[in-house]
C-alpha cells in the first residue's frame, strides 16, 4: 500500500476484486472478513471480530472521540444461480466493468468506503471524531446473528453511533442519484379456512371453504390500504398463493389456504394490519360458518429518517460531486437499516443495483471511483461541520 504522510492509499477496485474472490455465500465467510480486517488494521482501525452462531461479523473503529459516523454493510452474497458468462468469483474487469457476485451488492461499496476512509486520514491530526465499519456476514440470510447482535454488543459497551450510512446498492443509474431515507415494512400473512368436507352432490351436508376464502381474498386484494404519506408511496398487498390441493371432482374439500404479503408505509404497524385482517376474517367466518385462522410474521417494520441536518449534508455533498442532488426514496425491500434506525439516523447510499442478485452481477469501474469520491467528500463534510 503506498503511503503519503500519514495517509495510506487504498485502491478501491483492487480491494473490491479481492473481496469478490472470497466466495462468501451466506452463511460462509470464506476469508472475506479476514482480508478486510487486515486492511483496516493497516489503516489504524481497532478491529473486533464478533462471531454469533455460525456467522462472522466485524466491527472496526478509527478514533476515540465523537462525533461518530458508522458505515454498515455486509460481505455475504446470495448464491450464484445460473446463466453467468464469467466465473462469478473471478472478479474480472471487462470493458471497464467489474463482474462478480457481490460486485453491486455490496463488496464494491465496502471497498469504496475503506478507500474513502484512508483518504480522510487519521484522527486527531486529520479530523476529530470516529469512523467505524459494521460489517456482517448475515444480511442476505435470516439476519439474526448479524447487525442486530452487533448493535446489542455496542450498546452493552456503551458505544454511541451518531449517524450511519448503509452501503446497499440503492442508486438507480449512477452512484448518488438516489439515497434511501426510509424503507417500507414487510409482513407475511397466511389464511387457513376450515369447512366440512363432503360430496359435491350433497353440498348442503358439507361446508365449502372455497367461496369463503375467495370472498376474503377478494375483499383484502381490492382494499386500498392508504394513499401514501408525505415520504412514502401507498402500501401494497400482494397474494402469493391460493391452495386447495384437491384433485377429486366429486369432493368438496375440507380446507383452503392462501398467503399474501403487505409492504406497508408509516401509516401502519404490524399490529394494525394484523387486526384489520383478523376483523375481515371474523366477518367472513361468521357469514360462512367456516373457521378461519390468520397467522402473520413481520419481516421488517417501516422506518424513516426524517429529512434534517444529516440528510441535507448528504444531499449537498453529493450535489457538490455529481452536480445533482439525490432523490430521497423510501421504496424497495428491506435492509439492515431497519435495525440501525433504532440507534441513530440512517441513510442508504451506494452503487446502482440493477444487477444485484442476478447472473452477471456487475458494476462499472468508474462507478466505484465515483462512489469513493462521494464517500470521501461525505466524510470530509461530516467532520468539518458535524450535523449534530
Ligand atoms: Zn445487500
Amino acid at each position: 500500500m503506498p503511503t503519503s504522510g500519514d495517509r495510506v492509499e487504498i485502491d478501491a477496485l483492487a480491494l473490491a476484486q479481492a473481496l469478490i474472490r472470497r466466495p462468501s455465500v451466506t452463511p460462509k465467510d470464506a476469508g472475506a472478513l479476514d482480508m478486510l480486517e487486515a486492511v483496516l488494521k493497516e489503516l489504524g482501525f481497532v478491529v473486533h471480530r464478533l462471531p454469533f452462531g455460525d456467522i462472522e461479523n466485524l466491527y472496526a473503529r478509527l478514533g476515540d472521540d465523537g462525533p461518530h459516523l458508522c458505515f454498515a454493510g455486509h460481505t455475504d452474497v446470495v448464491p450464484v444461480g445460473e446463466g453467468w458468462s464469467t466465473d462469478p468469483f473471478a472478479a474480472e474487469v471487462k470493458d471497464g466493468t467489474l463482474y462478480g457476485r457481490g460486485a453491486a451488492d455490496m463488496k464494491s461499496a465496502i471497498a469504496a468506503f475503506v478507500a474513502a476512509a484512508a483518504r480522510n486520514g487519521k484522527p486527531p491530526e486529520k479530523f476529530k471524531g470516529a469512523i467505524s465499519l459494521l460489517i456482517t456476514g448475515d444480511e442476505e440470510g435470516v439476519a439474526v446473528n448479524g447487525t442486530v447482535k452487533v448493535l446489542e454488543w455496542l450498546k452493552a459497551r456503551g458505544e454511541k453511533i451518531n449517524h450511519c450510512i448503509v452501503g446497499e446498492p440503492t442508486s438507480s443509474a449512477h452512484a448518488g442519484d438516489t439515497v434511501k431515507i426510509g424503507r417500507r415494512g414487510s409482513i407475511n400473512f397466511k389464511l387457513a379456512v376450515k369447512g366440512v368436507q363432503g360430496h359435491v352432490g350433497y353440498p348442503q351436508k358439507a361446508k365449502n371453504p372455497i367461496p369463503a376464502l375467495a370472498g376474503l381474498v377478494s375483499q383484502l386484494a381490492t382494499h386500498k390500504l392508504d394513499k401514501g404519506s408525505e415520504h412514502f408511496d401507498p402500501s401494497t398487498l400482494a397474494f402469493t398463493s391460493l391452495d386447495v390441493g384437491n384433485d377429486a371432482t366429486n369432493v368438496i374439500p375440507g380446507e383452503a389456504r392462501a398467503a399474501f404479503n403487505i409492504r406497508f408505509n408509516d401509516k401502519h404497524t404490524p399490529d394494525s394490519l394484523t387486526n384489520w385482517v383478523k376483523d375481515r376474517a371474523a366477518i367472513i367466518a361468521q357469514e360462512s360458518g367456516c373457521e378461519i385462522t390468520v397467522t402473520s410474521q413481520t419481516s421488517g417494520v417501516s422506518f424513516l429518517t426524517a429529512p434534517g441536518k444529516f440528510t441535507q449534508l448528504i444531499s449537498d455533498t453529493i450535489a457538490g460531486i455529481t452536480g445533482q442532488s439525490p432523490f430521497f426514496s423510501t421504496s424497495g425491500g428491506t435492509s439492515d437499516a431497519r435495525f440501525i434506525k433504532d440507534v441513530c439516523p440512517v441513510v442508504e447510499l451506494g452503487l446502482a443495483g440493477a444487477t444485484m442478485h442476478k447472473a452477471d452481477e456487475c458494476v462499472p469501474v468508474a462507478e466505484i471511483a465515483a462512489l469513493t469520491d462521494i464517500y470521501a467528500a461525505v466524510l470530509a463534510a461530516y467532520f468539518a461541520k458535524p450535523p449534530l
Side-chain angles (χ1 to χ4, degrees):
M1 278 181 264
T3 58
S4 59
D6 62 340
R7 293 183 200 214
V8 183
E9 274 175 42
I10 300 274
D11 179 344
L13 171 63
L15 181 54
Q17 287 177 300
L19 285 170
I20 291 167
R21 286 172 188 146
R22 278 28 178 214
S24 46
V25 177
T26 328
K28 289 202 183 71
D29 171 62
L33 288 181
D34 281 345
M35 211 206 50
L36 193 58
E37 175 177 0
V39 174
L40 289 169
K41 277 183 170 163
E42 192 79 20
L43 294 174
F45 279 79
V46 177
V47 180
H48 302 269
R49 291 294 288 272
L50 303 166
F52 295 111
D54 59 348
I55 298 293
E56 286 280 346
N57 302 283
L58 176 150
Y59 173 72
R61 176 169 175 155
L62 179 72
D64 302 322
D65 294 332
H68 177 180
L69 178 67
C70 176
F71 174 88
H74 60 90
T75 44
D76 62 326
V77 295
V78 296
V80 170
E82 281 168 21
W84 284 75
S85 56
T86 64
D87 175 346
F89 299 113
E92 273 178 74
V93 175
K94 284 196 292 191
D95 299 328
T97 295
L98 170 64
Y99 287 83
R101 179 55 88 221
D105 184 15
M106 55 166 280
K107 287 174 168 175
S108 302
I110 294 173
F113 189 83
V114 172
R119 227 186 267 175
N120 198 56
K122 287 183 190 175
E125 294 81 16
K126 297 294 178 188
F127 70 98
K128 183 190 169 295
I131 299 171
S132 67
L133 285 94
L134 191 172
I135 307 294
T136 174
D138 187 26
E139 202 271 343
E140 303 289 9
V142 288
V144 167
N145 284 319
T147 301
V148 175
K149 293 268 169 75
V150 179
L151 290 173
E152 283 169 9
W153 179 85
L154 284 169
K155 195 178 173 198
R157 279 166 61 90
E159 232 172 282
K160 184 173 164 45
I161 298 171
N162 294 103
H163 298 91
C164 182
I165 294 170
V166 174
E168 286 293 337
T170 49
S171 293
S172 81
H174 297 289
D177 62 6
T178 304
V179 171
K180 286 217 195 297
I181 57 166
R183 293 258 190 176
R184 292 184 298 176
S186 172
I187 181 167
N188 293 307
F189 282 91
K190 282 186 176 161
L191 305 172
V193 181
K194 240 193 181 144
V196 176
Q197 188 181 319
H199 194 293
V200 289
Y202 305 93
Q204 71 279 10
K205 292 187 179 172
K207 216 173 267 173
N208 195 336
I210 296 176
L213 180 60
L216 183 54
V217 167
S218 159
Q219 276 195 19
L220 297 174
T222 54
H223 181 79
K224 293 263 174 296
L225 285 158
D226 55 69
K227 291 182 175 151
S229 64
E230 191 185 349
H231 299 288
F232 284 91
D233 287 338
S235 304
T236 55
L237 184 155
F239 272 89
T240 53
S241 176
L242 194 60
D243 304 292
V244 180
N246 176 29
D247 290 329
T249 53
N250 59 354
V251 175
I252 291 171
E255 194 170 311
R257 296 171 175 276
F260 63 97
N261 174 273
I262 297 179
R263 293 296 161 106
F264 59 96
N265 60 29
D266 53 350
K267 292 205 158 171
H268 307 273
T269 64
D271 279 348
S272 71
L273 291 167
T274 303
N275 289 337
W276 167 65
V277 175
K278 283 188 170 165
D279 286 349
R280 304 317 305 173
I283 292 167
I284 300 263
Q286 200 176 15
E287 286 169 3
S288 66
C290 293
E291 193 184 302
I292 305 183
T293 318
V294 175
T295 49
S296 64
Q297 193 240 334
T298 305
S299 52
V301 295
S302 70
F303 82 89
L304 176 72
T305 293
K309 280 185 189 175
F310 181 52
T311 56
Q312 193 62 47
L313 179 144
I314 298 280
S315 177
D316 291 348
T317 306
I318 291 172
I321 297 274
T322 67
Q324 201 157 10
S325 298
F327 171 65
F328 284 154
S329 157
T330 55
S331 68
T334 64
S335 81
D336 276 1
R338 71 190 192 270
F339 307 122
I340 298 165
K341 65 116 168 65
D342 294 332
V343 172
C344 66
V346 53
V347 299
E348 297 180 43
L349 164 59
L351 294 160
T355 61
M356 63 192 278
H357 296 206
K358 294 185 179 168
D360 285 343
E361 179 176 346
C362 63
V363 63
V365 171
E367 287 291 315
I368 301 175
L371 185 64
T372 306
D373 289 345
I374 289 171
Y375 284 155
V378 165
L379 288 173
Y382 184 87
F383 293 109
K385 197 169 181 234
L388 298 169

